[in-house]
Amino acid sequence: MKRIAVYPGSFDPITNGHMDIIKRACPLFDKIYVVVSKNFEKQPLFSVEERVALVKACLKEANIENVEVESFSGFIYEYAKSKNATTIIRGLRTTNDFVKEYSLFTYNYGLSNKTIDTIFLCAELENIFTSSSTVKEVVSFNGDTSPYVPKIVDEAIKNKKAK
Ligand code: ADP
């Protein structure tokens, strides 16, 4: 039986922290679906299509092959079931993440009749304060995002600002 997992998030934009989680999850599964959520944020930095394209470009650049990227809106456990996945991957940075993540786990585990479990990978120390929202804050102040995101994403941010 293939080990299939989903890694959901907003990925607006994908950061070094997300990339680290994906790289470390790869050897644990035969296939991973990165799922870009179609959230209803008032001011997204990138459209859902742009985010999907950026994640794909980052994976290609990192030579990661067993990962697919799709967008989705709805319950992630339902998406997981549709892909025959049994595991949701999430990253944990601080205790703040833990509280939020525990709640998400209980919903996904309970609503899926205990068929979809969640595993947590702890953020590497260097990524612990990196988040898509802080990257967006740096962008809003015209700051340098290069320490926090893959080069492709940094370039996409610069192109967007130049428009
Ligand atoms: P963010 O929390 O950055 O706004 P997402 O909602 O896309 O981003 O997060 C998707 C998942 O990735 C969550 O489980 C989140 O905890 C995890 N994650 C986000 N940033 C990092 C990071 N720097 N290191 C490890 N995991 C992270």
Side-chain angles (χ1 to χ4, degrees):
M1 209 174 94
K2 280 198 164 180
R3 296 161 305 163
I4 305 171
V6 298
Y7 179 37
S10 57
F11 302 103
D12 185 30
I14 186 163
T15 66
N16 292 341
H18 296 129
M19 282 302 287
D20 176 52
I21 298 294
I22 294 169
K23 281 178 191 161
R24 287 161 52 208
C26 267
L28 307 177
F29 296 95
D30 298 304
K31 179 152 207 152
I32 296 171
Y33 291 88
V34 173
V35 192
V36 176
S37 62
K38 294 182 188 171
N39 53 4
F40 302 100
E41 214 184 313
K42 276 188 197 140
Q43 282 198 309
L45 181 58
F46 291 103
S47 69
V48 171
E49 293 74 23
E50 286 172 324
R51 284 182 240 166
V52 168
L54 280 173
V55 177
K56 283 185 179 169
C58 291
L59 295 174
K60 194 171 176 205
E61 203 217 27
N63 289 318
I64 296 172
E65 283 178 348
N66 60 338
V67 180
E68 275 190 38
V69 190
E70 291 185 352
S71 62
F72 177 74
S73 80
F75 281 118
I76 196 64
Y77 76 87
E78 283 179 346
Y79 175 90
K81 273 186 174 173
S82 77
K83 298 290 181 190
N84 292 321
T86 51
T87 312
I88 297 169
I89 301 162
R90 298 289 286 176
L92 277 184
R93 287 160 292 189
T94 60
T95 48
N96 285 345
D97 272 354
F98 178 78
V99 174
K100 193 183 79 185
E101 293 293 340
Y102 200 98
S103 149
L104 291 175
F105 155 74
T106 59
Y107 280 95
N108 285 311
Y109 193 59
L111 292 174
S112 70
N113 287 324
K114 303 189 178 184
T115 58
I116 309 288
D117 216 328
T118 303
I119 65 156
F120 299 97
L121 295 175
C122 291
E124 276 223 279
L125 213 45
E126 66 199 48
N127 296 322
I128 209 153
F129 295 118
T130 300
S131 69
S132 298
S133 44
T134 50
V135 167
K136 278 183 274 197
E137 215 166 322
V138 172
V139 173
S140 75
F141 293 124
N142 279 322
D144 177 18
T145 52
S146 64
Y148 314 109
V149 295
K151 202 161 183 273
I152 293 168
V153 176
D154 190 49
E155 279 162 10
I157 290 170
K158 288 195 173 102
N159 286 339
K160 199 165 262 288
K161 280 200 289 197
K163 277 183 188 164

